[in-house]
Amino acid sequence: MTLRARLPMQPGTLRVVMIALLSLAAAEFVRSGLYLSYLGQSGAVQAQLRLPDAAVGLAWATHIAADTLMRGPAGLLIARQGLRTAMIAGATLSLISVSLLPLAHGPVPLLLIAALHGVGFSVAWPGAMNLTADVTRSDAQGRTLTAVGMLVTPMIGLGYFVFGSLRSAPLQTTYLITLGMLGLSLLAAVLLPARAVRGPARTPLTREGLRRTLRRVRPLLPAALMQTVTLSLFGQVLYKLADALKFPYWQLISVLIVGGAVAFACLPIIGRMADRGRAVFTLTAGYALIAAGMAGLALVPPLWAMYPLAAVVGVGFAGVQPGWAALVTRTLPAAERPTAWGALMTMENTGTAVGPLLGALAFTHLGAGGPFALGATLALITTTFYLLTRHVFAAGQQPEAAS
């Protein structure tokens, strides 16, 4: 049996999913590199565009806020106009907005560009995830959606390092690379088929359907928020943590690598469990393990003890991500998923935005163990929520099973 035949996607759909992922990956490459790396580290460009340091940070915050606020409407646009139209519109707006960057002399034009870019980008993640869910077998959606997210994530780091290496290059050089990647994102969107790719048949989403979707989405929101909050708590304090713990920075990074490697290794086994009807269990148990592991790390144990605790947290995340993805696809009818993905990803983006701030506050007020204690507390609250509401999901899956 060929590798393509063994994939859990419907025949003939792998190419389309890869095209959507290419559009998303190129867009992620640009935004992480442009705002987080190049504009913030290139003094020459800041001087050329008359940008104070605070303006670049505010531009990133503006971009994230626009992306976050528009993911719900982006999902609604996908539901009503189709994936290809929505992704072309988003990629086009991104390309047009960033093409104005050389004209951004001063903070205000940069903020407007960042906001428009965020609106355009907001379609990319809901579009790729909804397409993947549509064409994946129901017994493998949690694992596949998690794997898709993991495939795109390295482009964030790659964009950061590539654009960082260009910080001494003139704006025109980086500008051409930026437009080239956004042009690639737009080209990939154009190559998407106009019709749904052998996915479930859709009916137009009515106003009543929208209200029903939002009611179904509500119990899923805490997991959407908390999985990104707990992942991003340490984004602004890693160097400070290493200094406070008196560890070399690479040793702390090695603890994170152990947790990530364990999560990746456990994903196929735990993901299969989530896809076979145990989504609520794997999600709840995952958060319980995250709470236990982070509670141990909050005690600031010796370095050797951090590795097994990081492994516990890794196993927890291996349950949370596919469990949540499987829960979304099993709880929501196919016609409602694009709108739901938009709303849920709004919460995910909110978590990514507020997580570093919460982690920094916890470190400032509670010391080195503070971010871990906060992560443990949030994970425990989420565990309790899903223990108390597990019957809601059991009832919510009945209509899907019958359809």
mmCIF file of all heavy atoms in Angstrom, residues 23-51:
data_model
loop_
_atom_site.group_PDB
_atom_site.id
_atom_site.type_symbol
_atom_site.label_atom_id
_atom_site.label_comp_id
_atom_site.label_asym_id
_atom_site.label_seq_id
_atom_site.Cartn_x
_atom_site.Cartn_y
_atom_site.Cartn_z
ATOM 1 N N SER A 23 -0.254 28.178 1.306
ATOM 2 C CA SER A 23 -0.731 29.555 1.442
ATOM 3 C C SER A 23 -0.594 30.038 2.878
ATOM 4 O O SER A 23 -0.113 31.149 3.143
ATOM 5 C CB SER A 23 -2.188 29.648 0.981
ATOM 6 O OG SER A 23 -2.665 30.966 1.098
ATOM 7 N N LEU A 24 -0.996 29.195 3.831
ATOM 8 C CA LEU A 24 -0.904 29.545 5.248
ATOM 9 C C LEU A 24 0.546 29.677 5.690
ATOM 10 O O LEU A 24 0.914 30.635 6.383
ATOM 11 C CB LEU A 24 -1.630 28.485 6.076
ATOM 12 C CG LEU A 24 -1.430 28.527 7.593
ATOM 13 C CD1 LEU A 24 -1.890 29.860 8.167
ATOM 14 C CD2 LEU A 24 -2.167 27.362 8.252
ATOM 15 N N ALA A 25 1.402 28.727 5.300
ATOM 16 C CA ALA A 25 2.794 28.728 5.742
ATOM 17 C C ALA A 25 3.533 29.963 5.233
ATOM 18 O O ALA A 25 4.314 30.581 5.967
ATOM 19 C CB ALA A 25 3.492 27.455 5.269
ATOM 20 N N ALA A 26 3.304 30.338 3.975
ATOM 21 C CA ALA A 26 3.965 31.524 3.427
ATOM 22 C C ALA A 26 3.521 32.781 4.174
ATOM 23 O O ALA A 26 4.332 33.681 4.447
ATOM 24 C CB ALA A 26 3.661 31.649 1.934
ATOM 25 N N ALA A 27 2.233 32.852 4.521
ATOM 26 C CA ALA A 27 1.722 34.008 5.252
ATOM 27 C C ALA A 27 2.301 34.067 6.656
ATOM 28 O O ALA A 27 2.650 35.151 7.160
ATOM 29 C CB ALA A 27 0.193 33.948 5.298
ATOM 30 N N GLU A 28 2.421 32.917 7.331
ATOM 31 C CA GLU A 28 3.013 32.878 8.669
ATOM 32 C C GLU A 28 4.487 33.275 8.634
ATOM 33 O O GLU A 28 4.984 33.976 9.511
ATOM 34 C CB GLU A 28 2.870 31.474 9.271
ATOM 35 C CG GLU A 28 1.561 31.224 9.985
ATOM 36 C CD GLU A 28 1.466 31.942 11.318
ATOM 37 O OE1 GLU A 28 2.295 32.839 11.600
ATOM 38 O OE2 GLU A 28 0.538 31.628 12.082
ATOM 39 N N PHE A 29 5.199 32.809 7.622
ATOM 40 C CA PHE A 29 6.612 33.131 7.460
ATOM 41 C C PHE A 29 6.814 34.646 7.437
ATOM 42 O O PHE A 29 7.710 35.184 8.093
ATOM 43 C CB PHE A 29 7.122 32.504 6.164
ATOM 44 C CG PHE A 29 8.559 32.800 5.834
ATOM 45 C CD1 PHE A 29 9.568 31.981 6.293
ATOM 46 C CD2 PHE A 29 8.890 33.898 5.041
ATOM 47 C CE1 PHE A 29 10.897 32.253 5.991
ATOM 48 C CE2 PHE A 29 10.204 34.173 4.735
ATOM 49 C CZ PHE A 29 11.219 33.347 5.210
ATOM 50 N N VAL A 30 5.948 35.340 6.701
ATOM 51 C CA VAL A 30 6.086 36.784 6.550
ATOM 52 C C VAL A 30 5.769 37.504 7.846
ATOM 53 O O VAL A 30 6.536 38.364 8.306
ATOM 54 C CB VAL A 30 5.188 37.299 5.417
ATOM 55 C CG1 VAL A 30 5.068 38.820 5.449
ATOM 56 C CG2 VAL A 30 5.744 36.856 4.068
ATOM 57 N N ARG A 31 4.644 37.193 8.446
ATOM 58 C CA ARG A 31 4.232 38.042 9.576
ATOM 59 C C ARG A 31 5.127 37.860 10.792
ATOM 60 O O ARG A 31 5.438 38.825 11.487
ATOM 61 C CB ARG A 31 2.771 37.797 9.924
ATOM 62 C CG ARG A 31 2.446 36.538 10.687
ATOM 63 C CD ARG A 31 1.100 36.751 11.344
ATOM 64 N NE ARG A 31 0.671 35.627 12.134
ATOM 65 C CZ ARG A 31 -0.398 35.680 12.926
ATOM 66 N NH1 ARG A 31 -1.092 36.779 13.011
ATOM 67 N NH2 ARG A 31 -0.763 34.634 13.629
ATOM 68 N N SER A 32 5.585 36.644 11.071
ATOM 69 C CA SER A 32 6.482 36.461 12.212
ATOM 70 C C SER A 32 7.823 37.123 11.952
ATOM 71 O O SER A 32 8.407 37.757 12.837
ATOM 72 C CB SER A 32 6.670 34.970 12.509
ATOM 73 O OG SER A 32 7.296 34.310 11.423
ATOM 74 N N GLY A 33 8.340 36.995 10.732
ATOM 75 C CA GLY A 33 9.628 37.585 10.427
ATOM 76 C C GLY A 33 9.587 39.099 10.337
ATOM 77 O O GLY A 33 10.491 39.789 10.824
ATOM 78 N N LEU A 34 8.543 39.637 9.738
ATOM 79 C CA LEU A 34 8.479 41.074 9.492
ATOM 80 C C LEU A 34 8.326 41.865 10.786
ATOM 81 O O LEU A 34 9.095 42.797 11.057
ATOM 82 C CB LEU A 34 7.316 41.376 8.548
ATOM 83 C CG LEU A 34 7.155 42.840 8.112
ATOM 84 C CD1 LEU A 34 8.366 43.297 7.319
ATOM 85 C CD2 LEU A 34 5.876 43.011 7.295
ATOM 86 N N TYR A 35 7.339 41.498 11.610
ATOM 87 C CA TYR A 35 7.049 42.288 12.802
ATOM 88 C C TYR A 35 7.936 41.914 13.980
ATOM 89 O O TYR A 35 8.431 42.793 14.695
ATOM 90 C CB TYR A 35 5.578 42.119 13.208
ATOM 91 C CG TYR A 35 4.597 42.616 12.189
ATOM 92 C CD1 TYR A 35 3.925 41.728 11.352
ATOM 93 C CD2 TYR A 35 4.335 43.971 12.035
ATOM 94 C CE1 TYR A 35 3.017 42.174 10.406
ATOM 95 C CE2 TYR A 35 3.431 44.434 11.090
ATOM 96 C CZ TYR A 35 2.772 43.522 10.276
ATOM 97 O OH TYR A 35 1.885 43.982 9.343
ATOM 98 N N LEU A 36 8.123 40.625 14.216
ATOM 99 C CA LEU A 36 8.850 40.196 15.410
ATOM 100 C C LEU A 36 10.350 40.287 15.251
ATOM 101 O O LEU A 36 11.073 40.359 16.239
ATOM 102 C CB LEU A 36 8.464 38.747 15.753
ATOM 103 C CG LEU A 36 7.021 38.523 16.183
ATOM 104 C CD1 LEU A 36 6.773 37.043 16.444
ATOM 105 C CD2 LEU A 36 6.708 39.334 17.430
ATOM 106 N N SER A 37 10.845 40.247 14.035
ATOM 107 C CA SER A 37 12.285 40.169 13.835
ATOM 108 C C SER A 37 12.829 41.386 13.096
ATOM 109 O O SER A 37 13.594 42.171 13.648
ATOM 110 C CB SER A 37 12.625 38.882 13.069
ATOM 111 O OG SER A 37 14.019 38.674 13.030
ATOM 112 N N TYR A 38 12.442 41.579 11.853
ATOM 113 C CA TYR A 38 13.101 42.577 11.007
ATOM 114 C C TYR A 38 12.852 44.011 11.478
ATOM 115 O O TYR A 38 13.792 44.765 11.744
ATOM 116 C CB TYR A 38 12.642 42.407 9.561
ATOM 117 C CG TYR A 38 13.348 43.348 8.615
ATOM 118 C CD1 TYR A 38 14.690 43.169 8.289
ATOM 119 C CD2 TYR A 38 12.669 44.427 8.053
ATOM 120 C CE1 TYR A 38 15.340 44.041 7.427
ATOM 121 C CE2 TYR A 38 13.302 45.299 7.184
ATOM 122 C CZ TYR A 38 14.636 45.097 6.872
ATOM 123 O OH TYR A 38 15.274 45.961 6.024
ATOM 124 N N LEU A 39 11.593 44.407 11.566
ATOM 125 C CA LEU A 39 11.291 45.794 11.926
ATOM 126 C C LEU A 39 11.778 46.131 13.332
ATOM 127 O O LEU A 39 12.186 47.262 13.604
ATOM 128 C CB LEU A 39 9.792 46.061 11.821
ATOM 129 C CG LEU A 39 9.208 46.066 10.403
ATOM 130 C CD1 LEU A 39 7.705 46.285 10.449
ATOM 131 C CD2 LEU A 39 9.871 47.128 9.541
ATOM 132 N N GLY A 40 11.739 45.144 14.226
ATOM 133 C CA GLY A 40 12.154 45.404 15.597
ATOM 134 C C GLY A 40 13.653 45.453 15.790
ATOM 135 O O GLY A 40 14.141 46.051 16.754
ATOM 136 N N GLN A 41 14.424 44.818 14.891
ATOM 137 C CA GLN A 41 15.865 44.726 15.084
ATOM 138 C C GLN A 41 16.664 45.573 14.110
ATOM 139 O O GLN A 41 17.879 45.718 14.268
ATOM 140 C CB GLN A 41 16.316 43.268 14.950
ATOM 141 C CG GLN A 41 15.709 42.339 15.979
ATOM 142 C CD GLN A 41 16.271 40.942 15.877
ATOM 143 O OE1 GLN A 41 17.472 40.733 16.012
ATOM 144 N NE2 GLN A 41 15.409 39.968 15.631
ATOM 145 N N SER A 42 16.042 46.110 13.083
ATOM 146 C CA SER A 42 16.754 46.880 12.077
ATOM 147 C C SER A 42 16.665 48.368 12.399
ATOM 148 O O SER A 42 15.670 49.035 12.114
ATOM 149 C CB SER A 42 16.172 46.623 10.674
ATOM 150 O OG SER A 42 16.835 47.406 9.712
ATOM 151 N N GLY A 43 17.720 48.888 13.004
ATOM 152 C CA GLY A 43 17.747 50.297 13.358
ATOM 153 C C GLY A 43 17.707 51.194 12.137
ATOM 154 O O GLY A 43 17.100 52.272 12.164
ATOM 155 N N ALA A 44 18.337 50.743 11.035
ATOM 156 C CA ALA A 44 18.365 51.558 9.826
ATOM 157 C C ALA A 44 16.960 51.743 9.261
ATOM 158 O O ALA A 44 16.580 52.839 8.834
ATOM 159 C CB ALA A 44 19.277 50.908 8.785
ATOM 160 N N VAL A 45 16.183 50.672 9.248
ATOM 161 C CA VAL A 45 14.821 50.766 8.717
ATOM 162 C C VAL A 45 13.951 51.612 9.638
ATOM 163 O O VAL A 45 13.130 52.407 9.176
ATOM 164 C CB VAL A 45 14.222 49.356 8.534
ATOM 165 C CG1 VAL A 45 12.747 49.441 8.199
ATOM 166 C CG2 VAL A 45 14.971 48.621 7.436
ATOM 167 N N GLN A 46 14.126 51.457 10.945
ATOM 168 C CA GLN A 46 13.360 52.293 11.872
ATOM 169 C C GLN A 46 13.660 53.768 11.650
ATOM 170 O O GLN A 46 12.760 54.609 11.697
ATOM 171 C CB GLN A 46 13.674 51.895 13.316
ATOM 172 C CG GLN A 46 13.116 50.535 13.709
ATOM 173 C CD GLN A 46 13.349 50.220 15.171
ATOM 174 O OE1 GLN A 46 13.580 51.096 15.981
ATOM 175 N NE2 GLN A 46 13.288 48.936 15.510
ATOM 176 N N ALA A 47 14.937 54.074 11.398
ATOM 177 C CA ALA A 47 15.300 55.465 11.129
ATOM 178 C C ALA A 47 14.732 55.928 9.787
ATOM 179 O O ALA A 47 14.229 57.059 9.664
ATOM 180 C CB ALA A 47 16.828 55.603 11.135
ATOM 181 N N GLN A 48 14.779 55.045 8.774
ATOM 182 C CA GLN A 48 14.285 55.401 7.448
ATOM 183 C C GLN A 48 12.791 55.683 7.468
ATOM 184 O O GLN A 48 12.296 56.602 6.805
ATOM 185 C CB GLN A 48 14.589 54.276 6.461
ATOM 186 C CG GLN A 48 14.099 54.525 5.035
ATOM 187 C CD GLN A 48 14.398 53.346 4.119
ATOM 188 O OE1 GLN A 48 15.204 52.479 4.435
ATOM 189 N NE2 GLN A 48 13.736 53.307 2.976
ATOM 190 N N LEU A 49 12.052 54.869 8.221
ATOM 191 C CA LEU A 49 10.593 55.017 8.286
ATOM 192 C C LEU A 49 10.149 55.892 9.452
ATOM 193 O O LEU A 49 8.935 56.016 9.693
ATOM 194 C CB LEU A 49 9.932 53.639 8.382
ATOM 195 C CG LEU A 49 10.167 52.693 7.203
ATOM 196 C CD1 LEU A 49 9.450 51.367 7.436
ATOM 197 C CD2 LEU A 49 9.705 53.320 5.892
ATOM 198 N N ARG A 50 11.123 56.441 10.198
ATOM 199 C CA ARG A 50 10.832 57.295 11.359
ATOM 200 C C ARG A 50 9.919 56.579 12.359
ATOM 201 O O ARG A 50 8.860 57.079 12.762
ATOM 202 C CB ARG A 50 10.201 58.614 10.903
ATOM 203 C CG ARG A 50 11.095 59.438 9.987
ATOM 204 C CD ARG A 50 10.654 60.887 9.900
ATOM 205 N NE ARG A 50 9.321 61.042 9.358
ATOM 206 C CZ ARG A 50 9.050 61.147 8.049
ATOM 207 N NH1 ARG A 50 10.038 61.086 7.175
ATOM 208 N NH2 ARG A 50 7.814 61.299 7.613
ATOM 209 N N LEU A 51 10.369 55.387 12.768
ATOM 210 C CA LEU A 51 9.586 54.559 13.681
ATOM 211 C C LEU A 51 10.291 54.442 15.033
ATOM 212 O O LEU A 51 11.404 53.924 15.103
ATOM 213 C CB LEU A 51 9.399 53.150 13.101
ATOM 214 C CG LEU A 51 8.657 53.038 11.766
ATOM 215 C CD1 LEU A 51 8.680 51.600 11.287
ATOM 216 C CD2 LEU A 51 7.233 53.541 11.910
#
